[in-house]
Amino acid sequence: MFRTALRNVLAHKGRLLMTLLAVMLGVAFVAGTLVFTSTVSEAFQRSSEKGFEHVDVSLRPVGDAGGPDRASAAPAGLPRETLQQAEELPGAASATGVVSGFAALADKNGDLVGDGWSTRGANYQGRDGEDARYPMRRGHAPQEEGEVALDARTAERTGYRVGDTVRMSVSGPVRKEKVVGVFTTDDGNVAAGGTLVLFDDATAQRLFAKPGQYTQIQLEAAEGTTQAALKARAEKILPPRTEAVTGRKLADDQSQQIENSMSGMRTAMLVFAGIALFVGIFLIANTFTMLVAQRTKELALLRAVGASRRQVTRSVLLEAAGVGLAASVVGFGAGIGIAVGLRSLVSRLGTMPDGPLVVSLDAVAASLVVGVAVTVLAAWLPARRAAKIPPVAAMGSVHAPSTTRSLVLRNTLGALLAGGGTALVLAATSREDGEAMMGAGAALLLVGVFVLTPLLSRPLIAAAAPVLRLFRVSGKLARRNAVRNPRRTATTASALMVGLTLVTGFTVVASGVQQAIEKMAAESVAADYTVSMANFTPLSPEVEGKLKGLDEVTATSPMRTTAARVDGRNRQLTGVNGETVDRLLSLDFTEGSWSGVAGGTKAVVDADTAEEQGWKAGSDFRVAYADGSRETLTVAGVYDGSEFARGIMLDASTLTPHMPRVTDMRVLVETDSGPSEATRDTLQKELGNNPALQVQDQEDISEGIAQLVSVLLNVLYGLLAMAVVVAVLGVVNTLAMSVFERGQEIGMLRAIGLNRRSVKRMVRLESLVISLFGGVLGIGLGVFLGWAAGELIASTGMDTYALVLPWDRLGVFLALAALVGMLAALWPARRASRLDILQAIRTE
């Protein structure tokens, strides 16, 4: 039986080609994902470990939530006295005070350099003018205010040299600094595409902490002193609310963060690889169903000479395993090629450190197991069905297709699965925690529709009959061929259905979310402009001061937040200008208003917080600020919260004296002429054309959201394209084997007068009908699931969400399904038209 299986694989190489390609594509995606993410993780982990080579123990502040009556306080800095004590610790070879924070650098075109959160500034603190962490490649270290040093990667990509003047910002105002040095570093953030700018010690302290304070103190152990021993000694000199951490723990923590970040990307890519393999199952099942049908007499003869049902089943499964193994080996090689290409791309973009390609045994095993398992699983049902055919009936070609009873059972099972899935999806739309239920319901619904597809194929394909009649004989034959074998048509169409269901569902949800956020922005923000940092870090109050002094500006309000304890709970307080905020924020009050907030001890709260706390207009509540002082505030109004305005808001003059460090998250601006390009240019010019600042009107906010959604959708489309490619292979495979099976019939049609052009048209129309059938099912299911997911989103708090049907994209998807059908039919149609008439008629 093993030799029989091997012979069959070798005898049907051409017919198994599409199956090989489908499995290969899926396995290549799996292997490429595993190898690429392992390579990136390993490179970053090595870089992080190298970056902590000179750190054996780190002293750093920790947050303190305080007791029930105390506010959450921001971590305090480490004073210079602690640094001096650390230098004198037994077993400490050196101690370095570190200060770091956000620093935005502009390139020569004025654009922000780096990647948002990883654009950092730090201090250069070296003994005898040298800091072992940052070896100087050119120039010298910064020694006074106005001097900076750039990391070598940033200097190379921006073209800055020693002696150039650069523009940058730390918390809003523009700074002009002279580049005095270029250094090398093993900092993982720089390797990932970020920037690092070094200041002298005093300047860095003033910018990122307080004069005389550090955000960290790093200790290097003397020879013979372990990290644990040095940590134990360092704990004796710790100020309040600080901790000592070993360098090994810091490296492990950073490695874990890298692993966690890679885990999300790995999971997402593997999900799409799984979708491609799931779609491939339809193709594989179709292939083996047709191959088994063509070898019915051969299998019957094996049964007649003594082979058991189990041996016949095993023979077909061995054949499938051989195909799966070959495809997995080729797919794994292709996956390594994909990983090499991705690594080369991200390395060229400067977003990852150097490192070797990591091909783990886990990746090899997973790829081979997945490929073989998927192929064998898909071939099991055809193998089982072949083994059940009675030998005598099979040799006499009298075995009938599916019985009425089996079709009734299939349709009943499909209806139960589809009905149960639909019920779960509908029930999940009204639950805040309905994600798992909706996922299970969607899976059941998809499986149920797949089981029902043979039943659905006849009426839906019949609906195309009026159009097909326009093509006369070719159209009529195409329609009959499409419904001749409903199971095969259903399986072929289902492969395309799955891909289009996912694409359509994502598109519908994304369109609704985009409109909801645009509506939310329009309803919540009445200001002409909002000004914030490009990476949403805190903004210096100097920015509002500059804006307030402009002739074009008629009103401003900061939105500054800080932590506090409110009635024993941690809350965020937001300070605003109580005199102007009603002109800048458009809030829908259910009770009260802004009246009394300006300059007083009144506050407005969102409805969710008010309900949770049991407050209403006029209620009093106790606040413990970050500086330890306490105050009683009164609820002036209750409003409906949104993503742009939420929580407890009070007058900034009441909140500011209690903030450890005064910063704004954004500034709202009203101008005398309203939003216009000229007004925006004026604001940006007055702010120094700062690359770190965003000056946005409502349209900019909407466009930013639209761009983000578009990028996300394009990534999803790219990943789901794999499933569509596999679906195309499925249509090609089905048509090619169908042409082979109908060779005699096509020969007869040619003999009685059907020309080559009509034969081609017949095959193309059949392919088009099958593809459009799958497209209609996929788009319909996608719209339903997209609506359900949107209802779930709305029930979790996005009240402005509403169903948006992007008709233009849905039309493109349907056209794509038609294009798939036309392309998939090119080779089978050409092959059918070129059949030798006499030889085709002689074929059994």
Side-chain angles (χ1 to χ4, degrees), residues 19 280-290 378-379 381-382 385 491:
T19 294
I281 286 176
F282 299 115
L283 188 160
I284 299 164
N286 248 1
T287 301
F288 277 93
T289 298
M290 288 185 278
L381 194 59
R385 192 180 299 139
T491 306

Side-chain angles (χ1 to χ4, degrees), residues 560-736:
R560 57 186 56 156
T561 61
T562 188
R565 297 282 288 182
V566 177
D567 284 352
R569 295 188 180 186
N570 288 329
R571 296 283 188 188
Q572 287 287 331
L573 302 181
T574 301
V576 295
N577 186 333
E579 296 180 351
T580 60
V581 69
D582 59 332
R583 295 156 55 184
L584 302 169
L585 280 180
S586 180
L587 301 184
D588 186 10
F589 280 92
T590 57
E591 291 183 68
S593 66
W594 287 107
S595 177
V597 170
T601 57
K602 288 190 174 183
V604 297
V605 300
D606 67 285
D608 291 340
T609 302
E611 183 179 355
E612 185 180 343
Q613 296 285 154
W615 296 338
K616 57 184 180 180
S619 298
D620 293 333
F621 57 93
R622 292 280 294 169
V623 175
Y625 294 106
D627 62 355
S629 59
R630 295 173 178 79
E631 191 168 23
T632 299
L633 299 180
T634 302
V635 177
V638 178
Y639 65 93
D640 289 330
S642 69
E643 296 299 317
F644 292 88
R646 189 181 298 276
I648 303 172
M649 291 191 278
L650 63 158
D651 195 81
S653 63
T654 304
L655 180 64
T656 302
H658 306 292
M659 296 179 66
R661 187 175 182 183
V662 180
T663 57
D664 300 328
M665 289 310 298
R666 63 172 61 92
V667 177
L668 306 176
V669 182
E670 180 188 73
T671 59
D672 55 4
S673 58
S676 67
E677 282 300 317
T679 304
R680 185 207 306 276
D681 291 343
T682 301
L683 296 181
Q684 290 177 331
K685 183 177 180 181
E686 290 298 326
L687 293 172
N689 291 321
N690 194 330
L693 291 180
Q694 293 185 124
V695 180
Q696 296 180 301
D697 58 18
Q698 290 182 13
E699 186 176 344
D700 294 327
I701 295 172
S702 298
E703 286 179 359
I705 295 164
Q707 185 176 8
L708 183 64
V709 172
S710 296
V711 168
L712 179 60
L713 274 179
N714 289 336
V715 170
L716 292 173
Y717 291 160
L719 293 171
L720 287 170
M722 182 73 72
V724 176
V725 169
V726 175
V728 172
L729 294 177
V731 179
V732 173
N733 191 50
T734 298
L735 289 173

Side-chain angles (χ1 to χ4, degrees), residues 24-25 220 297 325 329 377 418-419 421 502 617 641 692 714 839:
M24 185 202 74
L25 286 173
E220 188 173 0
K297 289 187 177 181
L325 183 61
V329 171
L377 176 66
L502 295 170
N714 289 336
Q839 187 176 352

Side-chain angles (χ1 to χ4, degrees), residues 173-188:
V174 173
R175 301 174 58 88
K176 292 185 177 181
E177 313 281 357
K178 182 180 179 181
V179 179
V180 297
V182 175
F183 62 93
T184 58
T185 176
D186 295 317
D187 191 306

Side-chain angles (χ1 to χ4, degrees), residues 480-559:
R480 290 187 175 182
N481 288 334
V483 297
R484 176 184 295 184
N485 191 330
R487 289 176 183 268
R488 185 185 301 173
T489 297
T491 306
T492 305
S494 295
L496 192 58
M497 177 193 76
V498 172
L500 284 178
T501 296
L502 295 170
V503 170
T504 304
F506 282 130
T507 302
V508 170
V509 171
S511 301
V513 168
Q514 181 178 326
Q515 178 176 306
I517 296 179
E518 289 175 0
K519 187 177 179 182
M520 195 183 299
E523 291 180 352
S524 301
V525 181
D528 295 326
Y529 294 99
T530 63
V531 180
S532 61
M533 294 292 283
N535 69 332
F536 305 106
T537 52
L539 190 68
S540 169
E542 293 179 35
V543 172
E544 192 207 359
K546 277 194 173 185
L547 292 169
K548 193 182 293 186
L550 299 179
D551 295 336
E552 295 87 349
V553 175
T554 54
T556 64
S557 173
M559 294 191 74

